[in-house]
Structures are given as structure tokens and as C-alpha cells.
Amino acid sequence: MTRRDILPPGIVGHNRTMVTPHYAVMPPDGILESRLPGFTRTKIRFHTSPAMGANFAQALLEIDADGGTPVPLQDGLEHFFYLLEGEAAVVADGQAQRLDAGGYAYVAAGKSYSIQAVGGPVRAIWIKRPYVPAQGITPRASFFGHRSQVPRVNKHTRGRNWQALLGEADLSMDMEINILSFEPGNYFPFVETHIMQHGLYMLEGQGLYLLGREWHECWAGDFIWMGAYVPQQFYATGWGETAYLLYKDVNRDVTF
Ligand code: UGY
Ligand code: MN
């Protein structure tokens, strides 16, 4: 038996990964990479997809210097890109913009998009889904933004802020993507149970997430999928501010 045949301590005892029919907790270490046609020098680590039960797909893009999509892609879906690190040249429906960390792009359904790393590697969150049209509602066009330009709204109590990157209660959108920030020790005053799904990427800090009846410790770099109606509650721990990027499907009726 060689050293390589021995299971290192920690794989079992320290595992935090949990995938259930209603939610998933996905620390980054075990998420293997995909390569996709249309992308060069890019690792795509899918966090969730319809295969898990999600009504959207979310991935971490790791683009090497000068990698990305050499030509624009178009697949009928709506897309959202959020830069975590590096600098990227992003084109959304023919409009070009340089994005740095905190910059984001919304690509309206059916419009073309491209993302390319400029001058060094890039890490970005990529969310995509089929847009759900609604009678009498004109879909919103593609646009860009930056976390630093989005107002921090103190909704209910001190120390807990919302930033609505795609706007809020905008019926032209079928999803919201918000950054929720928490001072240490802050928490939601009740356990939420709602029809909307979530894709959550921990940007900064750490905390305890209640999912169903189980508490999960999570921190920067982790992904959580919450299916419809999963009971959810968050307590921020640690010494600094915690923030997460949160996808939520909104503004549309149920389907039968
Ligand atoms: O708006 C929300 O649904 C949000 N409060 N949920 C969450 O952070 N899990
Ligand atoms: Mn919620």
C-alpha cells in the first residue's frame, strides 16, 4: 500500500457538501470543471442546473489570460455575468464594456454575448435561464452595472443591506440578482419559505445557513442552491461583513 492509497484525514470528517432534492451546499473544492464549445482557455464549474432541480443554471467561470469566447455566442437564453476577479471585455447585444471586480452585465434573452479576459485571469459568476415572457410586458434590454454604483438599502433593521443589481419589482424582469450584506451577528428575524428558488454565491465572510431543518456552516467561495419552498434562514458569524450574491426567480405566475 502506498501513501496514495490511504484516504487523507478530513475527506470524510470535514465534508461540507450536501445535495438533497430541495437544496444543495457546494463548497468549491469538489466541483469539477467542464470545457465548453465556444470558450477557449476557460474552465466552467457548474454550480447548479436543471439536472439538480433548478430553474436556472449557474457556474463559476475561470478564464485564463486572453481566454474566453473569441466570437459572440447566442443561445436564446438570458444571461448574467458578475466579475469576481480580474478584468474582462464583455459584449452584450453589440454593446461593449470593460468590467472589473463587482462589474456585471445582463444580456437579454436571445441576444448575443461574449466575455474575454484582458491582461490576466478572470473569475466570474455566470447565470443563465430561459426568459419567461408575460402578456403586455416588454422585456428589458441588455445593460451593464457595477456593485459600487448600486444603492445599499437598509430594509428592515440595522446592519443588513440589499443591493438590487437588476432592479426590484421590475415586472419586465423574471429574475432578481441581489447582493445581501450582513454585519457580524446579524440574522433574518424569521425562517423564510417561498415559491422562489435561489442560487447563492458567498462573496465575502461566513455564516450559518438553515436549509430545511439542518444548519450548514458556509463561507466565501461556497455555493448554495435553494429549491422552491425550502425553509431558509441565515446567521452571519465571523468578525467582518458577510455578503452573498443571490439569484431569485420573481414576477411570474405559477405554471401548470
Ligand atoms: O429575498 C430573499 O428571498 C432572501 N431574503 N432570501 C435569502 O437570503 N435566503
Ligand atoms: Mn429567500
Side-chain angles (χ1 to χ4, degrees):
M1 190 182 264
T2 67
R3 280 183 68 80
R4 287 178 64 87
D5 296 323
I6 298 170
L7 192 65
I11 283 195
V12 176
H14 295 174
N15 170 53
R16 294 186 298 120
T17 303
M18 173 69 80
V19 179
T20 80
H22 301 293
Y23 72 84
V25 178
M26 309 262 287
D29 352 339
I31 305 174
L32 303 191
E33 75 250 27
S34 304
R35 307 271 174 184
L36 290 184
F39 286 80
T40 60
R41 300 163 61 81
T42 305
K43 293 180 185 135
I44 295 113
R45 298 185 191 274
F46 278 108
H47 287 149
T48 192
S49 68
M52 191 182 268
N55 59 13
F56 62 105
Q58 180 162 335
L60 174 68
L61 293 176
E62 293 171 351
I63 311 176
D64 289 343
D66 303 321
T69 54
V71 292
L73 303 174
Q74 206 163 3
D75 56 12
L77 302 175
E78 62 181 336
H79 293 259
F80 173 81
F81 295 94
Y82 181 88
L83 259 278
L84 298 170
E85 199 180 304
E87 199 181 336
V90 176
V91 184
D93 191 16
Q95 306 169 62
Q97 189 133 328
R98 285 284 175 96
L99 299 182
D100 59 5
Y104 61 90
Y106 171 75
V107 186
K111 305 300 183 189
S112 64
Y113 64 92
S114 68
I115 177 165
Q116 284 185 284
V118 179
V122 156
R123 292 192 321 118
I125 295 295
W126 181 25
I127 293 172
K128 55 182 175 173
R129 59 168 287 173
Y131 176 74
V132 181
Q135 199 176 340
I137 302 283
T138 307
R140 196 164 164 189
S142 304
F143 63 97
F144 295 94
H146 198 283
R147 177 182 183 178
S148 62
Q149 306 294 316
V150 180
R152 280 164 67 98
V153 180
N154 183 218
K155 274 200 180 177
H156 309 116
T157 186
R158 287 190 332 213
R160 201 169 61 236
N161 292 293
W162 256 254
Q163 288 173 285
L165 305 190
L166 304 185
E168 197 180 10
D170 174 354
L171 296 185
S172 69
M173 302 296 283
D174 64 354
M175 63 177 177
E176 277 179 14
I177 296 179
N178 301 320
I179 295 178
L180 275 61
S181 312
F182 305 80
E183 283 175 12
N186 211 302
Y187 57 90
F188 288 121
F190 50 81
V191 176
E192 293 175 25
T193 312
H194 50 63
I195 191 171
M196 306 85 164
Q197 298 196 16
H198 286 310
L200 181 159
Y201 181 77
M202 273 284 175
L203 295 168
E204 292 121 29
Q206 63 187 100
L208 295 172
Y209 233 103
L210 176 72
L211 298 161
R213 299 197 66 81
E214 305 274 347
W215 285 97
H216 295 267
E217 190 171 16
C218 50
W219 51 75
D222 290 345
F223 171 79
I224 297 174
W225 169 65
M226 293 172 236
Y229 301 113
V230 74
Q232 57 199 256
Q233 152 87 336
F234 182 63
Y235 265 93
T237 60
W239 309 121
E241 194 174 78
T242 294
Y244 54 72
L245 183 75
L246 191 70
Y247 158 92
K248 187 174 186 179
D249 54 312
V250 292
N251 302 332
R252 294 295 181 267
D253 204 351
V254 295
T255 50
F256 293 94

